[in-house]
Amino acid sequence: MSSRLTVEQVPVDVVLPLRSAVLRNGGPAGTPGDDDPATLHLAARRHDGAVVGVVRLAAAPCPWRPDARAPWQLRGMATDPAVRGTGAGRALVEAGLALVADRGADLVWCNARETAVGFYERMGFTVLTGPFDVEPIGPHLGMLKDLGARTGPVGGRRSS
Ligand SMILES: CC(C)(COP(=O)(O)OP(=O)(O)OC[C@H]1O[C@@H](n2cnc3c(N)ncnc32)[C@H](O)[C@@H]1OP(=O)(O)O)[C@@H](O)C(=O)NCCC(=O)NCCS
């Protein structure tokens, strides 16, 4: 992680402005399940407290691994263009993976924008699908990262 950043779990209202600006072109950025108490929202903050990166993780069945014991979905991944390439995205994903592993997750999956596939590959995710279109955003690919067999509490299964 960049030494100038801290990553912490935050209420959903903290992540919405950057999620809206980066992923929704300034539009409404709420996603079903955001208010579920089991949903994790993480923010990366600069030393002055400004939020420069956000991500969300929630337990959700994996479309490509229906047999997964405790799958979680990563979504709402965004960093401020001013800090890209400095480790904010990595810090968020690593913190998120550690948190869900503690909750018993056996894999994390995402629908990755085609332009972000290389980022997720750097984070250890593997492409599972060909490109598919998500209107109005554009092409996405299904990706996942196995966290390995673990014992411990399971975060539950639900759609979100
Ligand atoms: C994708 C995104 C979250 C990456 O955030 P970031 O803060 O730049 O990521 P980091 O600086 O931590 O980069 C981590 C590594 O991934 C690489 N990387 C970052 N973005 C990449 C990309 N789009 N393609 C390929 N590699 C990328 C970095 O070079 C770095 O490599 P390293 O391991 O050699 O150091 C950011 O570019 C973003 O918000 N994009 C717009 C929104 C978006 O597409 N979100 C994902 C939706 S599925």
Side-chain angles (χ1 to χ4, degrees):
M1 178 196 311
S2 163
S3 59
R4 293 164 292 129
L5 293 178
T6 55
V7 174
E8 60 184 3
Q9 195 176 336
V10 294
V12 64
D13 57 294
V14 174
V15 307
L16 290 178
L18 190 62
R19 191 197 285 177
S20 168
V22 174
L23 295 172
R24 299 285 181 270
N25 213 11
T31 305
D34 273 349
D35 293 326
D36 188 315
T39 297
L40 302 177
H41 302 284
L42 302 184
R45 290 187 193 275
R46 230 167 36 194
H47 60 88
D48 62 0
V51 173
V52 294
V54 295
V55 71
R56 161 191 151 155
L57 294 112
C62 176
W64 321 292
R65 288 277 188 84
D67 57 331
R69 181 178 53 82
W72 284 62
Q73 182 183 12
L74 181 154
R75 63 192 302 182
M77 174 81 238
T79 60
D80 185 325
V83 305
R84 295 218 179 126
T86 67
R90 175 184 290 281
L92 284 158
V93 172
E94 288 180 349
L97 294 178
L99 279 174
V100 300
D102 279 350
R103 287 160 170 73
D106 62 347
L107 70 81
V108 174
W109 63 276
C110 65
N111 291 327
R113 293 186 182 196
E114 200 168 44
T115 48
V117 165
F119 165 71
Y120 290 112
E121 286 177 336
R122 297 294 297 164
M123 301 300 108
F125 284 67
T126 305
V127 172
L128 261 284
T129 74
F132 55 92
D133 211 42
V134 176
E135 288 291 342
I137 298 162
H140 286 63
L141 286 88
M143 300 185 76
L144 69 75
K145 181 177 171 86
D146 269 309
L147 301 185
R150 289 177 61 97
T151 55
V154 174
R157 287 168 178 260
R158 60 176 179 73
S159 299
S160 70

